Every structure is written in C-alpha cells, then in structure tokens.
Amino acid sequence: MSQKWWQQQLPKLVLSPSFALVLFFVYGFILYTGYLSFTDSRMFPSNELVGFANYEKLFALRHWKIAITNLGIFGGLYIGICLVLGLMLAIFLDQKIRGEGVLRPIYLYPMALSFIVTGTAWKWFLDPGIGVEQIVQSWGYTDFEFRWIKDRTMAIYCIVIAGVWQTSGFVMAMFLAGLRGIDGEIMKAARVDGASSVQLYRRIIIPMLRPIFLSAFVVLAHMAIKSYDLVIALTNGGPGRATELPATFMYSYTFTRNQMGVGATSAMVMLMTIAAIIVPYLYSELKGSKKS
Amino acid sequence: MMRASLPGSAMRSALYLILLVFSIFYLVPLYVMLVNSFKELDEIRSGAMLALPDNFTLAPWESAWSTAQIGVSPTGLKPYFINSIAMVIPAVLISTLIGAINGYVLSKWQFRGHRWVFGLLLFSCFIPFQIVLIPMAKTLGILGIAGSTPGLVLVHVVYGIGFSTLFFRNYYEAFPTELIRAAQLDGAGFFMIFARILLPSSGPIIVVCIIWQFTNIWNDFLFGASFTDFDSQPITVALNNLVSSSTGVKEYNVHFAGAILAALPTLIVYIVSGRYFVRGLMAGSVKG
C-alpha cells in the first residue's frame, strides 16, 4: 500500500524542484520587480512606496515615448514584412522548385546566428564609409547617398532591415510547413494554371493558413518587444536616442542612470504587453491540445 | 501548345529569378563578413567591400582570436570563446535532462493541476527577461555566484526549463501509454520505465532540444552582459565590446573575423543538423 502511495507521489516529487525554481525565479521575480515599480528605488532597491508615481513619470518621459514610438514602427514593419515575405517565399518555394533543398537552408540560416553577429554584419554593410554607399559610388554613381544608419529619422528602418533578414526565413519555414500540411488535391488544383491559381491561393489556401499566421504573429510580436541585442549591436540606440526601444530603455534606466524604479516600471509595461498577446494564445493552444 | 506554355514558362523564370534574388539578400551579409575578414584594412576602406581580397591575409583572424583589444586587455576573443563553451555545455545538458524528466511526468504521470503547472512553465518561456534582471542580480549576489560562469549557467538552466519541458512533454504525449501500463503491471517503477522505455526512443527530441538550447544559450547577450565580469564574459558580449569600442582605428576586418568566430559553433550545428534545428524552431512556436 505504501509502495503504491510512494509511486503516486514520486512524479510530483521529481517535478517539484523545477516547479519551485520557476515559481521563484520567474513568478517571484515578477512580483519583486512589480513591487520595485511602486518604490522610489534608484541605484539600489528601496522600500519607500510611492504609489503609481513611477508609472506617471514613465509615460511623461520623452525618452520612453521615443522608445514606444520606435517599437510601434519597428514592430509593425518587422512583423508585417516578415509575414508577407515569409508567406511569399513559402508559396514560391512550394511550386515544385528545383533546388529547393539548397534555397531553404540559405533563407533560414540567419536564424542560427546571434543578433550581435547580425548587428555587426549589417552595421558595417550599411555604414556610409565602407558599405552600400561606397559600393554603389565605386560603380560610378558618385552622387549616390545611403546613410540611413546615421540619420535620426531613418536609422530605425536599418533595425527593421536587419531584423527581417534574421527572422523572415523562419517565418517562411513555418508557412512552408503549413502549405505542406494542406491536402494534396487542393494544392494540385492550385497548380493547374496561372490565372486561376492566384485566385485559389487568395480565396482558399491562404485562409487555410490562418493558424500559422497566428503562431508567426505571436512569435514575431514577442521577439519585437524583447528586441535588445540587435539594437545594441547595430546602433547602440543611436544616433542620439533615435533607435531606443523599451528593452534598451529599461537597461539604461536601471543600470546606468540609476533610476531603478522607472526601469522596473518599464519592465512591467513590457511584461504586460507580452502577456496580453501570449496568455490568450497559450490558453487556446492548451485547450486545443486537450481535445486531441 | 507552344503558345499555351509560354506564359507558364515566363512565370517560372520570374519565380526562379525572385527566389534567386532573395537568396542573394540572405547570403550577402555572410559573404561580406567572410571576404572582408581576409582583407587588409586599406582595401576595405577603398570601397571594395564586395570584391574578393586582393592581398589574401589571415592576420585579421589571428588578431580577432588572440591579440585584439577587448575591453581593457589585448587578449582577442579566445578566452571569451572558452567562457562560452564552459557556460553552454553544462547549461544545455542540465536543462535538457530536467526537461526530459519534467516532460515525462507531465505527459505520463499526470496529476490534478498538471495543466496549470505546464501552463506556468510554458509562460516562463515568453517573459521579457528585463523583468528578472534586477532580482536576479541580487539573488546571484546572495548566492555568491555573481559575475561567474556558474552563475550564468544557473540563469540559463532556470530560463531554459520551460522550452525543454515543452519539447519533451509534446514528444512523450504521442508515446503509447499502454506500453507504460504494461511495464507497470510487470512491476517496473517510475524511473525504470523512464530509463528503459522512454529514453531509448527519445533520440530525435534530445537532439532537437540540445540544438535549440545550444543555439539560444550560445547566442544570448542580455544575460551575459548583465551577470558577468570581464573575465567571465561570453563571446557575444566580447564581440560587441570589440566592435563598438570607440578608441583607435576601426578594424573592420578584425570585427568580421570575430563575428564569424562567434557565429561558427551555431552555424556548424545548423549545417550539420539543419533538419533538427528547423524541428526545434517549429516545436517552439507551433505547439502540439
């Protein structure tokens, strides 16, 4: 009898250390950061409660407004372009292309790289001194100018370019897997002839990929909000503060500007934004797996 | 017949052209890094970034590996590469092992509330890590492992458990439960069933999990930058120091060689086992 009881308790016992770790290091830490966001912590954590003062302060900061606006521009374009490009490449690759086995890994390999590597490559490739501008000028177009990365209003688009380069192949792979999962008869009909196949894709096949759009959107949105390394490596938030994102804002306010309360507040805002996207998604995914 | 197939073949040519143009887009940065890492600095400055090296030289690689100035000391990336290896191996092995046993429990030994436990583990994969930076710095200090490689290993294990559990749980979910019941009737216990029945057939998911964790942990920058000292920094942090240091001449060729050095391990893994890499990516985003 006690043997059986033991066998029933053992699994829970085995799981409990990881569960305890996650409870402490994830949920405990979230609570603690949440607590700090209501204190006047500066260089070190403080216990002086200040109500919502940090939240009011945060949303009044010009620096934060820049970060939020940039996240809107970056996130919108990054997600949008990755989805469109990923879908397009997947559909094209799915046309019985010769050499698909070569092309697919070429589209996808950037995903294996660190954002710091990606940032380094693009930083110098986009640099007016040695990169694209120089290259095109050396072809004889001496008036050619391309200095987005040094331009306050355009630098954020450089982050978009590098981000899309890194992730769009992954989105392509997701869509391709989706396309390959669609019933062969429908696909065969789609390939029959040119004009009508565009219609077939638009009316039938793309709508069937809805779950992939959702998954890809969730992954991309979550990556956009967390984006930190890419900005650090590519522009370090500059020129000026032109490419500051919430993640870089949080880091600099907490660790270099000694405004830990405001930093914690910005982290809470980031968490809540991600949670608003992820929680409903995970909930529906888990409910879905219950049925099957 | 000929006329009918013409638009079709024109369209196919356009299709191949577009696919080719995009493969160039994806390859150019790697090509730029590679060719310029073998050039002398003057050659890069003269605007020939896309050209093959005139004077082929290995000096940038030697410099990036062993003599380039990183932070305050001229050590090259070598010690940081070693730091990364010392960090990534234990972190990957531990988090994979924990994930396997967790996945086993959550799929085959379900208890009341198992769905909640799994949900909480899963959500931890998606939190913005900014939320844990402040308390983690404090905790590592209290544990006495702040600024050290073991500290960084702990961080990566803790935040890797969610994904590794997810991988194994979904994989074991499809494993026939009857086999486990039968083994139980034969008197096999919890660990015996895991070691003798599930583990031997877990090869593919172990590979997927190891590749996923390896790529993520090797490529991490935020934790490495937040929780290490100069002598325990991983290579991503050292590379960023190398490239963004504002003193002296910008040695683009050395930066490119360094970037490739930092990318090499994950690139090799990708080239050798791309199929598993893709499966990991999929499993990490499209559940079930």
Side-chain angles (χ1 to χ4, degrees):
Chain A
M1 196 62 205
S2 82
Q3 173 77 24
K4 199 175 169 212
W5 179 87
W6 175 241
Q7 281 292 330
Q8 268 175 2
Q9 297 310 310
L10 190 58
K12 287 185 231 173
L13 201 66
V14 165
L15 189 66
S16 53
S18 345
F19 190 56
L21 277 181
V22 169
L23 274 188
F24 179 75
F25 282 97
V26 176
Y27 298 95
F29 280 11
I30 290 175
L31 287 179
Y32 184 72
T33 305
Y35 169 74
L36 286 183
S37 74
F38 295 109
T39 67
D40 72 342
S41 304
R42 298 200 174 267
M43 193 160 160
F44 297 103
S46 125
N47 290 316
E48 198 74 35
L49 287 168
V50 292
F52 281 89
N54 285 327
Y55 288 84
E56 282 162 23
K57 194 171 163 192
L58 179 73
F59 282 98
L61 275 173
R62 217 176 71 85
H63 199 156
W64 177 251
K65 281 179 196 150
I66 295 174
I68 291 287
T69 313
N70 278 339
L71 179 62
I73 297 173
F74 168 70
L77 286 173
Y78 170 72
I79 296 171
I81 297 174
C82 277
L83 285 177
V84 170
L85 192 61
L87 178 64
M88 185 191 88
L89 290 176
I91 290 177
F92 286 1
L93 266 187
D94 198 36
Q95 307 301 315
K96 298 216 185 320
I97 292 296
R98 226 175 299 159
E100 187 202 317
V102 179
L103 291 170
R104 223 171 349 128
I106 290 178
Y107 294 170
L108 195 58
Y109 85 91
M111 199 63 192
L113 304 181
S114 149
F115 274 118
I116 301 293
V117 172
T118 301
T120 304
W122 283 97
K123 178 188 181 119
W124 296 142
F125 187 59
L126 296 172
D127 188 81
I130 57 166
V132 175
E133 184 177 295
Q134 268 282 333
I135 295 166
V136 177
Q137 285 182 359
S138 75
W139 291 341
Y141 305 95
T142 44
D143 293 338
F144 181 81
E145 256 197 28
F146 185 79
R147 33 189 70 219
W148 282 11
I149 201 161
K150 303 279 182 202
D151 184 315
R152 276 166 184 279
T153 50
M154 302 309 280
I156 189 73
Y157 301 102
C158 293
I159 315 262
V160 175
I161 293 173
V164 166
W165 179 80
Q166 173 117 354
T167 330
S168 49
F170 166 46
V171 180
M172 179 279 297
M174 289 176 77
F175 278 121
L176 194 59
L179 286 170
R180 297 278 150 89
I182 291 177
D183 182 22
E185 289 303 309
I186 300 175
M187 295 308 286
K188 225 180 264 170
R191 284 205 199 90
V192 169
D193 63 344
S196 68
S197 76
V198 173
Q199 295 275 325
L200 200 61
Y201 269 102
R202 230 184 53 199
R203 298 262 174 81
I204 297 167
I205 293 174
I206 294 176
M208 283 175 82
L209 294 173
R210 250 182 70 153
I212 315 260
F213 272 101
L214 183 65
S215 298
F217 173 80
V218 169
V219 172
L220 291 168
H222 145 262
M223 286 181 73
I225 297 170
K226 289 211 308 199
S227 280
Y228 175 75
D229 332 10
L230 184 61
V231 177
I232 294 295
L234 196 61
T235 62
N236 202 10
R241 293 171 184 169
T243 50
E244 205 80 71
L245 287 180
T248 58
F249 173 97
M250 186 275 165
Y251 200 91
S252 67
Y253 266 71
T254 306
F255 297 111
T256 51
R257 288 163 175 256
N258 297 330
Q259 300 230 39
M260 196 177 274
V262 178
T265 306
S266 65
M268 286 306 284
V269 174
M270 289 174 67
L271 175 75
M272 287 185 276
T273 315
I274 288 190
I277 297 169
I278 293 284
V279 170
Y281 175 72
L282 289 184
Y283 184 74
S284 69
E285 289 278 324
L286 286 181
K287 258 181 76 176
S289 74
K290 197 179 200 169
K291 266 180 266 158
S292 62
Chain B
M1 277 304 278
M2 274 306 284
R3 276 190 64 210
S5 70
L6 253 179
S9 81
M11 241 172 79
R12 281 196 83 72
S13 310
L15 203 63
Y16 276 99
L17 188 71
I18 294 171
L19 290 172
L20 198 70
V21 166
F22 275 100
S23 60
I24 292 171
F25 168 66
Y26 290 108
L27 283 175
V28 156
L30 185 65
Y31 170 82
V32 163
M33 283 197 283
L34 208 57
V35 292
N36 290 290
S37 71
F38 295 111
K39 285 181 195 169
E40 278 157 10
L41 205 48
D42 291 338
E43 209 181 317
I44 301 177
R45 285 215 206 87
S46 67
M49 207 182 206
L50 290 182
L52 290 169
D54 265 343
N55 292 318
F56 185 91
T57 169
L58 284 174
W61 286 79
E62 281 162 26
S63 168
W65 180 246
S66 54
T67 61
Q69 184 84 17
I70 314 274
V72 289
S73 44
T75 56
L77 290 171
K78 186 178 158 193
Y80 306 97
F81 194 92
I82 294 169
N83 285 345
S84 273
I85 289 179
M87 160 194 79
V88 80
I89 292 175
V92 167
L93 292 182
I94 297 170
S95 63
T96 302
L97 192 71
I98 295 178
I101 198 99
N102 285 352
Y104 171 53
V105 171
L106 286 171
S107 59
K108 295 303 171 205
W109 297 86
Q110 294 176 342
F111 47 88
R112 213 142 53 95
H114 72 93
R115 206 169 288 278
W116 271 101
V117 172
F118 183 56
L120 286 172
L121 286 179
L122 202 54
F123 180 69
S124 77
C125 302
F126 293 97
I127 55 165
F129 289 128
Q130 281 74 20
I131 200 86
V132 301
L133 290 184
I134 304 169
M136 183 54 104
K138 210 177 154 184
T139 307
L140 290 175
I142 292 170
L143 293 174
I145 46 176
S148 73
T149 300
L152 201 54
V153 170
L154 173 72
V155 175
H156 283 302
V157 167
V158 166
Y159 300 109
I161 288 179
F163 265 122
S164 60
T165 301
L166 166 72
F167 287 141
F168 284 96
R169 183 245 185 209
N170 285 355
Y171 188 79
Y172 290 151
E173 194 92 301
F175 194 88
T177 308
E178 300 78 53
L179 279 180
I180 289 164
R181 296 283 165 260
Q184 264 183 303
L185 289 179
D186 288 344
F190 176 83
F191 285 112
M192 177 84 97
I193 293 172
F194 180 61
R196 295 278 173 82
I197 300 178
L198 283 166
L199 264 193
S201 65
S202 305
I205 199 65
I206 291 175
V207 176
V208 166
C209 185
I210 286 180
I211 289 178
W212 171 274
Q213 298 286 14
F214 178 80
T215 310
N216 274 338
I217 296 173
W218 183 274
N219 287 343
D220 161 72
F221 175 77
L222 182 64
F223 288 148
S226 307
F227 304 132
T228 56
D229 291 334
F230 268 121
D231 53 1
S232 58
Q233 279 172 353
I235 189 155
T236 46
V237 178
L239 174 66
N240 187 55
N241 286 345
L242 170 71
V243 175
S244 63
S245 92
S246 46
T247 50
V249 191
K250 289 209 181 308
E251 297 184 297
Y252 307 109
N253 48 1
V254 177
H255 298 173
F256 286 132
I260 297 174
L261 280 173
L264 215 49
T266 53
L267 262 186
I268 290 174
V269 166
Y270 175 69
I271 290 165
V272 171
S273 49
R275 222 157 35 90
Y276 291 101
F277 178 80
V278 177
R279 269 180 63 179
L281 282 178
M282 297 297 175
S285 56
V286 194
K287 274 151 287 299

